[in-house]
């Protein structure tokens, strides 16, 4: 009877030790899961911050690119206006040149007539 009681105590003691071990293992598993979850959440936050930063940089670059495109468009308009003015000036100059050439021909003709008349008078 005494041996049987000791066997029961030993058996109960083993069962308690096994139960404690199971609880310890379950606690370790919960802690590992919590640690993994915390690590993943931190990585997700970091990725989200990194993504936001990337999006902000991209928007800033696009904004700057838009400003540069606007500056270039303005410069193109200025150059087109200068070219149009230059062409208008060239057309006006050609008109003046042709008018001057015509007057020069008239003067040359008058000179020739005058020379002929002077020669005839001599």
């Amino acid at each position: 009877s005494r041996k049987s009681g000791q066997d029961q105590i030993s058996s109960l003691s083993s069962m308690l030790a096994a139960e404690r071990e199971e609880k310890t293992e379950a606690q370790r598993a919960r802690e590992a899961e919590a640690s993994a979850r915390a690590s993943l959440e931190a990585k997700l936050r970091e990725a989200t911050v990194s993504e936001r930063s990337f999006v902000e940089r991209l928007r800033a670059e696009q904004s700057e690119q838009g400003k540069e495109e606007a500056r270039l468009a303005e410069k193109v308009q200025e150059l087109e206006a200068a070219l149009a003015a230059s062409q208008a000036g060239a057309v006006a100059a050609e008109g003046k040149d042709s008018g001057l050439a015509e007057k020069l021909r008239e003067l040359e003709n008058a000179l020739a007539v005058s020379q002929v008349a002077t020669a005839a008078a001599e």
Side-chain angles (χ1 to χ4, degrees), residues 23-42:
K23 286 181 180 180
T24 302
E25 286 298 319
Q27 181 62 31
R28 284 188 193 133
R30 284 191 299 274
E31 288 170 357
E33 182 182 336
S35 174
R37 184 180 305 117
S39 175
L40 286 175
E41 287 171 352

Side-chain angles (χ1 to χ4, degrees), residues 68-122:
E68 184 62 23
E69 287 174 2
R71 282 192 292 269
L72 289 174
E74 187 177 324
K75 191 68 171 171
V76 165
Q77 287 177 342
E78 289 173 9
L79 290 173
E80 287 174 343
L83 178 61
S86 173
Q87 289 173 338
V91 167
E94 283 176 17
K96 283 182 184 175
D97 285 350
S98 69
L100 290 175
E102 190 176 319
K103 286 188 180 197
L104 181 58
R105 278 192 300 275
E106 289 173 6
L107 289 172
E108 287 172 345
N109 288 339
L111 179 61
V113 168
S114 172
Q115 286 175 339
V116 169
T118 303
E122 291 177 349

Side-chain angles (χ1 to χ4, degrees), residues 11-85:
S11 177
L12 287 173
S13 187
S14 291
M15 286 172 49
L16 282 174
E19 192 174 318
R20 273 191 219 119
E21 185 62 31
E22 283 177 19
K23 286 181 180 180
T24 302
E25 286 298 319
Q27 181 62 31
R28 284 188 193 133
R30 284 191 299 274
E31 288 170 357
E33 182 182 336
S35 174
R37 184 180 305 117
S39 175
L40 286 175
E41 287 171 352
K43 287 179 182 177
L44 179 61
R45 280 190 303 275
E46 186 177 310
T48 301
V49 166
S50 177
E51 181 182 353
R52 282 184 190 141
S53 175
F54 173 76
V55 168
E56 287 171 8
R57 275 196 320 273
L58 187 59
R59 283 184 182 147
E61 287 173 11
Q62 287 174 339
S63 173
E64 193 58 39
Q65 184 178 2
K67 290 176 186 174
E68 184 62 23
E69 287 174 2
R71 282 192 292 269
L72 289 174
E74 187 177 324
K75 191 68 171 171
V76 165
Q77 287 177 342
E78 289 173 9
L79 290 173
E80 287 174 343
L83 178 61

